[in-house]
Every structure is written in structure tokens, then in C-alpha cells.
Amino acid sequence: VHYTLELNDAYVGLRFDSVFSGIAAQNLKYHIDDVKKVVENLDGRLVVKYYPTKSATVNTIKAHLDRVQMMGYKPDMIVVDYADLLRGAGRTQDLRHELGNIYEDLRGMAGEYQIPVWTASQANRSSLEDDIIGAEKIAESYSKIMTADFVLSLSRKIEDKIAGTGRWHVIKNRFGPEIYDEGSLQGRNAQKQMDGGEEAGRKYLQNKFKELEGNV
């Protein structure tokens, strides 16, 4: 189930049609029969539900999920597009605390229904030219990072948009590798990887410095 709080359900549906068919969104109207064939052969079911910005709470989503499951359909995944546009439950007037409560409520909903919930959030303006977006660049409230089980950032500069590239960075993974004792075999292997990363970082900085010298 995809809950959209920014774009209406018809527009979101077109985006899905474009992704599934590989046809650019602006050309879908010229390939209606082709899109239908692709969609009809897909496994599973997609429900797109639209709520105007700041009109829905987490309880609104839960009520809709209950109706969906009463109809015999249990989703495998819930997408909230996006959580910052949900309305808080009125427990606080502070935006940061409200966002923190919203993310906690979403995480609680995921546990209650045993369905993974994915959402997106914006980075702040200072991240526009960053190669890698870290946790400190998340806009409005750091509690989003603290609450989430898995956080992934995507950085795309103008050059990336032209080339169709970008940089993914796993900010947090609650289900990731364990912390090893430095004397254990796993700990020694992890230390080698860290040392290799530091060396790669030094080489990267050296190359950047040489580039700057060449431009002076």
C-alpha cells in the first residue's frame, strides 16, 4: 500500500506505470495498451491511497489498513510518501517533537501489523553539494534517525542527474554486522577493512589536493 500525502493518487499511479513498463511518464498516453499488458502480468496487488498534506495521522493510516485487511488483503509493505507530511496526534506544538512522535507512531504501527514501513525525508540545504549525505544532514529532527531501524541516503548532484548516477550511503542499519572484540578473528578482519578505508580516504584527499594545485 502506497500512502501519498503530496501528489494525488492518479499522478502516483502514472509514476508506477512508468516504472513497471519502462515508458517515460509523458509518453504513457501513447502506449496505453502496452502498459495494460505489462500491469496485467505483474504479480501481487498495489493500492495507492491519497490524503491531502497534513490531513492524515498515523491513526488514519491504521484505520485504512484495517479496512484493507477486512477485505482479505494483507500488504507485504507500506510506503508513506512521506512521513513529514502527516499530521501529529496533537501531543506537542513543537515541530521537532511532533515529527519524532510521528516516526515513533509509524514504527509502532509496523510492529503492531508486522509489516515493514518505508518513508522518505528531506536533507537540509547544506547537503546540496555533499558527495555523501550523513545523519547530521537530515532536516528538522534527528529523532527520525534515532527511531528508524534502517536509514539510507541518496546524494545526486547536477552531474549525477545528467549521467543518471548517484551515491547511496547506509547511515544506520539496526540489523547490520555485530560489534566484534578487537582480538577475535572477526575483529581483526573488521580492523583491516577499517584500515583499508582510511588508506582509501587518504588517497582520495591527496588526489583532491593535487586537483586544487593544478587549478591554482
Side-chain angles (χ1 to χ4, degrees):
V1 180
H2 183 122
Y3 293 100
T4 171
L5 299 136
E6 187 172 35
L7 305 172
N8 64 47
D9 49 359
Y11 189 83
V12 173
L14 289 175
R15 284 187 162 187
F16 275 111
D17 288 343
S18 179
V19 171
F20 293 145
S21 66
I23 300 171
Q26 64 268 25
N27 296 326
L28 288 172
K29 59 185 177 182
Y30 305 117
H31 302 276
I32 295 176
D33 291 337
D34 294 332
V35 174
K36 284 183 177 180
K37 288 179 182 179
V38 171
V39 173
E40 288 170 357
N41 290 322
L42 291 173
D43 293 328
R45 180 180 175 187
L46 171 66
V47 175
V48 179
K49 178 65 176 176
Y50 169 66
Y51 293 107
T53 299
K54 292 294 182 180
S55 69
T57 65
V58 173
N59 285 333
T60 308
I61 292 176
K62 290 171 68 173
H64 181 262
L65 281 174
D66 288 338
R67 292 198 298 271
V68 167
Q69 294 193 81
M70 285 177 62
M71 297 170 63
Y73 170 56
K74 181 176 180 179
D76 295 309
M77 183 173 72
I78 298 167
V79 176
V80 179
D81 186 15
Y82 51 98
D84 293 36
L85 299 181
L86 285 169
R87 179 164 52 85
R91 296 193 291 264
T92 178
Q93 296 296 321
D94 182 80
L95 178 59
R96 287 178 299 173
H97 291 158
E98 180 181 276
L99 288 173
N101 291 335
I102 288 171
Y103 276 73
E104 288 174 359
D105 289 345
L106 281 175
R107 191 173 188 275
M109 182 183 76
E112 179 182 347
Y113 288 84
Q114 290 295 291
I115 303 172
V117 176
W118 287 87
T119 190
S121 185
Q122 300 290 337
N124 56 38
R125 290 184 180 180
S126 65
S127 67
L128 290 176
E129 292 302 318
D130 287 352
D131 289 327
I132 298 296
I133 298 176
E136 74 283 356
K137 299 295 185 177
I138 300 301
E140 299 297 349
S141 177
Y142 191 79
S143 59
K144 302 174 186 178
I145 302 294
M146 297 172 64
T147 303
D149 292 315
F150 183 85
V151 184
L152 185 76
S153 70
L154 171 62
S155 173
R156 298 189 72 206
K157 297 182 179 180
I158 295 176
E159 311 89 79
D160 291 310
K161 293 179 180 179
I162 294 173
T165 59
R167 281 164 299 281
W168 298 101
H169 172 58
V170 177
I171 294 176
K172 178 183 179 181
N173 183 7
R174 207 186 294 269
F175 312 107
E178 298 177 0
I179 298 175
Y180 303 113
D181 183 271
E182 62 181 9
S184 67
L185 176 61
Q186 298 94 331
R188 291 196 296 272
N189 289 336
Q191 186 62 55
K192 287 180 181 178
Q193 291 178 337
M194 290 170 65
D195 293 340
E198 290 175 0
E199 180 61 28
R202 282 193 291 270
K203 290 181 178 178
Y204 173 80
L205 291 174
Q206 286 175 354
N207 291 334
K208 283 292 184 182
F209 182 73
K210 289 178 181 178
E211 288 177 11
L212 288 172
E213 280 189 321
N215 293 329
V216 173

